[in-house]
Amino acid sequence: MAAGSDGALPADAASRAQELREQLEAHNSSYYVLDAPTVLDAEYDRLFGELQALEGRYPELLTVDSPTQRVGGKVLDALQPVTHRVPMLSIQTETDIEDSGAVNFDNRVRKELGLAEEAPPVEYTAELKFDGLAISLRYEQGVLVQAATRGDGATGEDVTTNVRTIRVIPLRLHQRAGAPAVPDTLEVRGEIYIDRRDFESLNAAQQAASEKLFVNPRNAAAGCIRQLDSRIAARRPLSFFAYGMGESTGWALPATHCGMLDAFAAWGLPVNTDRAVVSGAQGLIDYHRRIGEARNRLPFDIDGVVYKVNSLALQQQLGFRSREPRWAVAHKYPAQEELTEVLDIEVQVGRTGAITPVARLKPVFVGGVTVTNATLHNEDEVRRKDIHIGDTVVVRRAGDVIPEVVRALAERRPADARAFVMPQTCPSCGAAVRRDEDEAVARCTAGLYCPAQRKQALLHFASRRALDIDGLGEKIVDQLVDNSILRTPADLFRLEVPALAALERMGDKAAANLVQAIGQCRDTTLARFIYALGIRNVGESTARDLAAHFRDINVLMAADELRLQQVTDVGPVVAQSVAAFFADAHNRAVISDLLAAGIHFAPIAEPEQLAPGVAGKTFVLTGTLPTLSRDEAKARIEAKGGKVSGSVSKKTHYVVAGGEAGSKLVKAQDLGVAILDEAALMVLLESM
């Protein structure tokens, strides 16, 4: 197949390239989607090599949907933002994990549709809730042209080059006989995941290469997709299931959600077969139970199932609420539990000197991660659960919840099991450990003279909600304290580049960046500064109340317990902690050093600058807002005189709900609390 004398592309080369592309994609679909290989690996490699050679000889033959483009390309400088033409909305989570979760959803749907009690049951599509990374695939004229992450629902990140490496995702939709015509434009919504067996193989390879192990399949998938080097994604065992749709043009939609998924499958998109069309609440309950029983036998992780009204016309009629569809809900499963062995019980020293027993466990995979440690909270908790070193215990974990030792199996206790004994001296500094009569927690009595407490205090001082010093992590603080470079937070402002650059894994550039970050944190707020000091019993909310009331650090330090109790929500316990902290000569010296180092507080808003609809009101934030982060929304509310709480109660004035709002939104609706979206919040904040 030589080119003609005029250099024109031979027709047989173009024809052969197209034939090879179609054959290779058909083999990909059979192998990766249908799990039914139609060709030996050696034959696939021969066809692939032939196509590569053709495209190398005639570059004009190369197309974006060629199978050769799945190997990854050049390294990107950054992921570019993508505005979703149709927002990638999240769905509400049904908090009741029992059968009533399905009943609650069915009742809400019937009520919204105005159905009488005797009306026929509603038809639903029930699907698995995959534990992976949500993705949007945009096809134009059947060709994959863009892939984007969910992001905040309105704007995601362009990950097209990485997604093209996933062999189960067709680069071109197939127009098969009997299938609907491929739409002019189609945005397919779905989930990228890694199945358990592939995850274990991936981590084994990571370990063999002395590289960092992945925590769980979901994090591994998300990390691969957001890599700037698509060659890394090409080497990872990523999979995909389609379950929904964004923008679509040039297609007469089917009548049902299930019909839409059937069309996806006909075009070559992978759609999970464990879905079902069911009727009414009982159908949902039966599906939830069936999948729950089969959950551990699935090759991939799920954390629940999803119910969707099957009729697309009824979906449109039901519409949306607080950026969530009324026609769909996620119904989770209970926390997962596994058995493992307590290898030892050690203690950790916290920022306030709290001595916390921690169970060191024989590694066990539960709730999507490998668990090796679990807090036992305090000595009384260890006694209550009767946990001995050597015991077989039940470990529970759900979602991102910290692993918990539920109970010990006393009947399996070995003869050499040992009871836990709380140490009488601090394992970090050797100082005495004391437990006050009115407390469940034992504490080291050395204060900041204890290296462990000093490290935790410095990390707290630099944390995001305190002084927010970017780059000051645990390993750096460990070295600085162990080498006696840092003794108090004030020492941070005396750090210089040469001393930092000499630390392990630190160079001149990183050291210079850290010194710059420390310098930038000199400008802060009085509330952040009070919180950063790490006063016992003083969280962010109390720190803000103290700042708003006293408005000056020196006035606050001079306040006695009686005056402190005049502050909103400050009672005797908090007042005693604050007064005791500022009475300590060492603490006062540290504060003096910090102020001398140039710590400067931004002016506190005067009463006339507060928004009347916000000042004195309690807000609860839930879900993901379109443009504001949780911290930004919180800061704006507080700047206008409002308070932000973590839980909904009768005293809550407003709940601000974004995408993926869960139980807090449901509770607010039950209590009749006013619900705002981001736009309504901004109107309230700007009212004067």
Side-chain angles (χ1 to χ4, degrees), residues 11 82 85 109 123 231 260 279 342 393 407 435 480 491 523 532 534 565 616 620 645 680 682:
V82 173
R85 291 170 173 83
V109 168
E123 185 177 81
R231 293 169 298 184
M260 178 189 71
S279 293
V342 178
V393 293
R407 64 184 182 278
R435 177 179 172 181
L480 291 171
D491 291 333
D523 291 319
Q565 290 185 56
V620 172
S645 173
M682 296 306 295

Side-chain angles (χ1 to χ4, degrees), residues 476-615:
I476 296 174
V477 168
D478 282 348
Q479 294 183 71
L480 291 171
V481 172
D482 291 343
N483 292 320
S484 300
I485 298 172
L486 282 186
R487 291 182 175 83
T488 77
D491 291 333
L492 288 167
F493 298 94
R494 289 186 275 270
L495 289 175
E496 296 180 347
V497 171
L500 285 169
L503 299 178
E504 185 180 347
R505 297 186 179 180
M506 283 284 284
D508 289 338
K509 184 176 180 180
N513 289 340
L514 179 53
V515 169
Q516 182 181 11
I518 293 170
Q520 290 173 343
C521 84
R522 284 185 171 92
D523 291 319
T524 186
T525 65
L526 179 57
R528 276 181 173 265
F529 182 76
I530 295 169
Y531 175 67
L533 293 175
I535 305 169
R536 191 172 161 201
N537 297 317
V538 174
E540 287 182 89
S541 178
T542 302
R544 286 191 300 272
D545 291 339
L546 291 169
H549 185 90
F550 290 102
R551 307 175 72 84
D552 185 289
I553 186 64
N554 293 303
V555 177
L556 171 60
M557 287 196 294
D560 59 18
E561 291 185 37
L562 187 61
R563 190 174 175 192
L564 286 164
Q565 290 185 56
Q566 295 173 4
V567 179
T568 304
D569 294 336
V570 171
V573 173
V574 175
Q576 194 278 330
S577 293
V578 174
F581 181 89
F582 289 122
D584 184 277
H586 174 75
N587 292 336
R588 295 177 72 90
V590 169
I591 293 169
S592 179
D593 283 352
L594 287 168
L595 296 177
I599 291 285
H600 176 265
F601 306 128
I604 297 174
E606 298 295 336
E608 59 269 19
Q609 296 176 292
L610 305 180
V614 178

Side-chain angles (χ1 to χ4, degrees), residues 273-519:
T273 55
D274 287 308
R275 65 187 190 278
V277 175
V278 302
S279 293
Q282 189 57 51
L284 299 176
I285 290 170
D286 293 343
Y287 180 83
H288 187 264
R289 289 177 180 172
R290 176 168 64 82
I291 296 300
E293 292 169 357
R295 181 183 182 188
N296 291 333
R297 297 194 296 273
L298 294 171
F300 43 78
D301 288 340
I302 65 170
D303 55 4
V305 296
V306 177
Y307 309 139
K308 300 174 183 176
V309 172
N310 197 28
S311 166
L312 297 186
L314 290 182
Q315 286 187 12
Q316 187 172 10
Q317 180 181 337
L318 287 162
F320 299 85
R321 176 185 60 196
S322 297
R323 298 179 56 79
E324 293 176 339
R326 290 189 175 92
W327 43 265
V329 74
H331 193 182
K332 295 241 181 150
Y333 285 114
Q336 289 182 285
E337 296 181 345
E338 294 290 346
L339 294 180
T340 190
E341 182 183 336
V342 178
L343 302 177
D344 200 358
I345 298 178
E346 300 174 357
V347 296
Q348 292 180 340
V349 185
R351 175 173 55 85
T352 62
I355 306 292
T356 303
V358 177
R360 305 302 184 194
L361 305 171
K362 184 176 181 180
V364 59
F365 192 78
V366 55
V369 300
T370 299
V371 173
T372 56
N373 303 313
T375 179
L376 298 173
H377 302 290
N378 54 59
E379 187 177 13
D380 289 348
E381 187 75 355
V382 179
R383 302 283 175 261
R384 184 180 69 81
K385 292 182 177 178
D386 191 27
I387 298 170
H388 287 55
I389 299 165
D391 273 352
T392 296
V393 293
V394 177
V395 178
R396 174 188 297 160
R397 186 183 183 277
D400 294 326
V401 177
I402 296 171
E404 172 192 10
V405 175
V406 181
R407 64 184 182 278
L409 303 183
E411 64 275 15
R412 296 195 187 185
R413 180 167 293 155
D416 60 350
R418 295 179 287 120
F420 168 72
V421 178
M422 178 65 75
Q424 299 302 302
T425 58
C426 173
S428 177
C429 68
V433 169
R434 184 181 68 224
R435 177 179 172 181
D436 294 336
E437 290 184 5
D438 59 343
E439 281 203 308
V441 176
R443 298 181 188 275
C444 166
T445 56
L448 289 179
Y449 293 102
C450 170
Q453 291 187 62
R454 195 182 314 153
K455 290 175 182 179
Q456 293 302 317
L458 288 164
L459 287 169
H460 174 78
F461 187 84
S463 64
R464 184 166 56 91
R465 298 181 185 277
L467 270 287
D468 193 16
I469 303 176
D470 187 33
L472 188 65
E474 187 172 344
K475 291 183 179 179
I476 296 174
V477 168
D478 282 348
Q479 294 183 71
L480 291 171
V481 172
D482 291 343
N483 292 320
S484 300
I485 298 172
L486 282 186
R487 291 182 175 83
T488 77
D491 291 333
L492 288 167
F493 298 94
R494 289 186 275 270
L495 289 175
E496 296 180 347
V497 171
L500 285 169
L503 299 178
E504 185 180 347
R505 297 186 179 180
M506 283 284 284
D508 289 338
K509 184 176 180 180
N513 289 340
L514 179 53
V515 169
Q516 182 181 11
I518 293 170

Side-chain angles (χ1 to χ4, degrees), residues 84-91 133-137 148-156 187-191 243 245-246 323 659-660:
H84 298 300
R85 291 170 173 83
V86 175
M88 288 187 72
L89 302 179
S90 57
I91 58 177
L133 176 73
I135 207 82
S136 179
L137 309 177
T149 61
R150 181 201 299 275
D152 63 5
T155 304
E187 285 183 351
V188 177
R189 303 288 166 74
E191 201 92 357
Y243 55 63
M245 183 176 67
R323 298 179 56 79
E660 299 185 21

Side-chain angles (χ1 to χ4, degrees), residues 16-38:
R16 179 56 178 164
Q18 179 62 25
E19 180 183 5
L20 287 168
R21 282 194 293 269
E22 291 175 356
Q23 287 183 23
L24 288 167
E25 279 303 281
H27 293 321
N28 276 336
S29 179
S30 296
Y31 185 91
Y32 292 104
V33 180
L34 303 178
D35 197 22
T38 54

Side-chain angles (χ1 to χ4, degrees), residues 23-320:
Q23 287 183 23
L24 288 167
E25 279 303 281
H27 293 321
N28 276 336
S29 179
S30 296
Y31 185 91
Y32 292 104
V33 180
L34 303 178
D35 197 22
T38 54
V39 67
L40 295 175
D41 289 349
E43 175 64 10
Y44 181 93
D45 292 343
R46 186 191 68 75
L47 296 173
F48 191 90
E50 183 183 347
L51 179 58
Q52 275 187 314
L54 271 175
E55 292 174 344
R57 187 174 184 183
Y58 305 108
E60 59 267 44
L61 287 176
L62 187 61
T63 61
V64 295
D65 62 326
S66 172
T68 62
Q69 298 307 291
R70 294 189 183 275
V71 297
K74 67 177 184 179
V75 179
L76 302 176
D77 295 327
L79 299 177
Q80 299 302 311
V82 173
T83 300
H84 298 300
R85 291 170 173 83
V86 175
M88 288 187 72
L89 302 179
S90 57
I91 58 177
Q92 181 179 324
T93 297
E94 178 55 60
T95 55
D96 192 329
I97 60 177
E98 303 302 330
D99 293 348
S100 55
V103 175
N104 293 341
F105 173 62
D106 182 58
N107 286 341
R108 287 199 299 271
V109 168
R110 294 181 68 84
K111 181 179 179 181
E112 293 283 354
L113 293 174
L115 298 179
E117 188 174 341
E118 63 275 10
V122 176
E123 185 177 81
Y124 298 100
T125 297
E127 309 168 31
L128 306 185
K129 186 178 184 299
F130 309 108
D131 194 15
L133 176 73
I135 207 82
S136 179
L137 309 177
R138 184 175 178 84
Y139 289 87
E140 294 180 358
Q141 305 305 319
V143 176
L144 177 65
V145 297
Q146 189 177 70
T149 61
R150 181 201 299 275
D152 63 5
T155 304
E157 292 175 314
D158 190 327
V159 290
T160 309
T161 54
N162 289 336
V163 167
R164 281 201 179 110
T165 69
I166 303 175
R167 294 182 183 273
V168 300
I169 295 178
L171 300 177
R172 177 184 289 275
L173 300 179
H174 311 306
Q175 184 60 70
R176 293 191 172 101
V182 172
D184 297 335
T185 301
L186 178 67
E187 285 183 351
V188 177
R189 303 288 166 74
E191 201 92 357
I192 290 174
Y193 69 96
I194 298 178
D195 74 27
R196 296 191 193 110
R197 185 172 59 183
D198 287 337
F199 175 72
E200 290 171 3
S201 299
L202 174 61
N203 259 351
Q206 292 287 107
Q207 187 170 29
S210 299
E211 295 182 2
K212 183 179 179 180
L213 299 184
F214 293 103
V215 175
N216 56 39
R218 183 189 186 283
N219 288 353
C224 295
I225 289 300
R226 299 188 72 252
Q227 283 279 348
L228 298 178
D229 187 350
S230 57
R231 293 169 298 184
I232 294 175
R235 297 194 295 268
R236 300 283 162 76
L238 299 168
S239 294
F240 169 81
F241 280 129
Y243 55 63
M245 183 176 67
E247 184 181 35
S248 174
T249 62
W251 180 33
L253 291 175
T256 64
H257 180 83
C258 185
M260 178 189 71
L261 296 180
D262 289 342
F264 284 177
W267 294 327
L269 288 159
V271 180
N272 185 260
T273 55
D274 287 308
R275 65 187 190 278
V277 175
V278 302
S279 293
Q282 189 57 51
L284 299 176
I285 290 170
D286 293 343
Y287 180 83
H288 187 264
R289 289 177 180 172
R290 176 168 64 82
I291 296 300
E293 292 169 357
R295 181 183 182 188
N296 291 333
R297 297 194 296 273
L298 294 171
F300 43 78
D301 288 340
I302 65 170
D303 55 4
V305 296
V306 177
Y307 309 139
K308 300 174 183 176
V309 172
N310 197 28
S311 166
L312 297 186
L314 290 182
Q315 286 187 12
Q316 187 172 10
Q317 180 181 337
L318 287 162
F320 299 85

